[in-house]
């Protein structure tokens, strides 16, 4: 029943996405601009163990794609609230978990597709990374998207005023980007800033993907990244499902 309901909800939103080329391609624009205009500035700097700056930058851009894209996913449900779509779906016998999972799995598929485009562009610019590490990166993008989109939908349902959503997301997303070391490794930061960044769960995901991009699959960074990502996603889906059950659209 849950799988059937999830597939129905996923199919509805996947069809909407496929009808919008703008949504498919535009989300990758900001990371792509960083890749084109910021990446060459790092070429030759000893940021990675073998001096390949692309193996440092591209993992950060992949998670930046998930961070900002998924965090703002709740805008869609704000529109649905105003149109009465959410309320009509909530009075059906469809599982509340399926109402959330169908949406976030669509989001995950969308951002993984955009991540593939980003990696292809990075390979053309000089990225060299093992296939296993690249696939691991896509997996982290998917898990991060599921977690952040779940929280984004939950926040959008709970906020009384739609105009409060954007500022609330920016207040969380910007510090997360700066403290997780998306652009540059936090090891380059002052000791106090590096210590503070360890309180940010995204830091562990970034470190794990960078470890994968150099083929270090059995490192502590990979283990911590997997554990943090799994725990974060489980907590976020639980919170999101609870809000779908209780919220009045």
């Amino acid at each position: 029943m849950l799988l059937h309901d999830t597939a129905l909800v996923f199919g509805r939103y996947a069809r909407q996405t496929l009808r919008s080329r703008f949504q498919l391609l535009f989300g990758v624009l900001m990371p792509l601009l960083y890749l084109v205009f910021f990446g060459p500035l790092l070429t030759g700097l000893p940021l990675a163990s073998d001096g390949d700056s692309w193996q440092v930058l591209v993992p950060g851009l992949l998670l930046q794609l998930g961070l900002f894209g998924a965090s703002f996913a709740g805008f869609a449900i704000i529109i649905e609230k105003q149109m009465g779509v959410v309320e009509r779906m909530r009075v059906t016998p469809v599982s509340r978990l399926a109402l959330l999972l169908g949406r976030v799995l669509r989001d995950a598929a969308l951002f993984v597709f955009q991540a593939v485009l980003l990696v292809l562009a990075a390979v053309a610019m000089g990225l060299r990374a093992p296939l296993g590490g690249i696939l691991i990166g896509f997996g982290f993008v998917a898990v991060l998207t599921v977690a952040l989109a779940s929280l984004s939908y939950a926040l959008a349902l709970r906020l009384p005023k739609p105009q409060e959503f954007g500022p609330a997301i920016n207040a969380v997303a910007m510090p997360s980007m700066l403290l997780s070391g998306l652009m540059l490794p936090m090891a380059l930061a002052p000791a106090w800033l590096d210590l503070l960044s360890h309180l940010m769960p995204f830091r562990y995901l970034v470190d794990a993907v960078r470890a994968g991009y150099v083929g270090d699959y059995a490192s502590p960074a990979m283990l911590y990244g997997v554990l943090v990502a799994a725990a974060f996603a489980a907590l976020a889906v639980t919170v999101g499902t609870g809000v779908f059950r209780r919220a009045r659209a």
Side-chain angles (χ1 to χ4, degrees):
M1 184 66 175
L2 175 61
L3 292 177
H4 178 265
D5 291 348
T6 300
L8 285 177
V9 178
F10 174 84
R12 179 183 190 274
Y13 290 102
R15 287 190 294 272
Q16 287 182 357
T17 301
L18 291 174
R19 288 195 293 266
S20 173
R21 295 181 181 178
F22 182 87
Q23 185 178 13
L24 281 171
L25 301 176
F26 189 76
V28 77
L29 180 60
M30 184 173 68
L32 189 59
L33 290 176
Y34 272 104
L35 183 71
V36 173
F37 296 118
F38 187 65
L41 299 176
L42 306 179
T43 303
L45 295 181
L47 300 178
S49 58
D50 60 357
D52 187 354
S53 61
W54 298 111
Q55 293 175 332
V56 173
L57 179 62
V58 174
L61 293 179
L62 289 176
L63 295 181
Q64 182 195 62
L65 178 66
L67 173 62
F68 282 94
S71 293
F72 283 95
F75 269 123
I77 213 168
I78 289 175
I79 298 173
E80 290 187 343
K81 276 176 41 176
Q82 295 173 336
M83 297 176 62
V85 174
V86 175
E87 184 62 24
R88 289 196 296 271
M89 294 183 76
R90 288 180 69 249
V91 299
T92 67
V94 175
S95 163
R96 297 299 177 262
L97 178 58
L99 289 177
L100 176 65
L101 285 181
R103 286 175 168 87
V104 300
L105 290 177
R106 184 283 310 265
D107 295 330
L110 171 61
F111 293 124
V112 168
F113 170 74
Q114 293 176 348
V116 171
L117 298 181
L118 182 63
V119 169
L120 290 176
V123 169
M125 295 185 67
L127 169 68
R128 297 297 178 264
L131 178 60
I134 291 175
L135 295 178
I136 286 173
F138 294 153
F140 273 97
V141 170
V143 174
L144 180 62
T145 298
V146 168
L148 291 179
S150 297
L151 296 178
S152 181
Y153 289 130
L155 178 64
L157 285 174
R158 297 294 293 177
L159 287 178
K161 299 178 180 179
Q163 59 267 31
E164 296 175 350
F165 181 78
I169 291 297
N170 279 323
V172 175
M174 288 304 297
S176 299
M177 182 186 76
L178 296 173
L179 286 175
S180 59
L182 289 179
M183 297 295 101
L184 295 171
M186 291 306 296
L188 300 177
W192 68 269
L193 193 57
D194 183 37
L195 179 62
L196 183 61
S197 73
H198 282 88
L199 302 177
M200 186 66 60
F202 307 117
R203 157 78 186 262
Y204 300 95
L205 277 63
V206 175
D207 289 346
V209 179
R210 284 178 176 149
Y213 265 57
V214 296
D216 196 0
Y217 306 127
S219 65
M222 182 66 69
L223 175 61
Y224 295 151
V226 170
L227 293 177
V228 170
F232 184 43
L235 176 62
V237 170
T238 300
V239 171
T241 303
V243 172
F244 264 80
R245 289 193 178 111
R246 298 189 300 270
R248 296 182 62 85

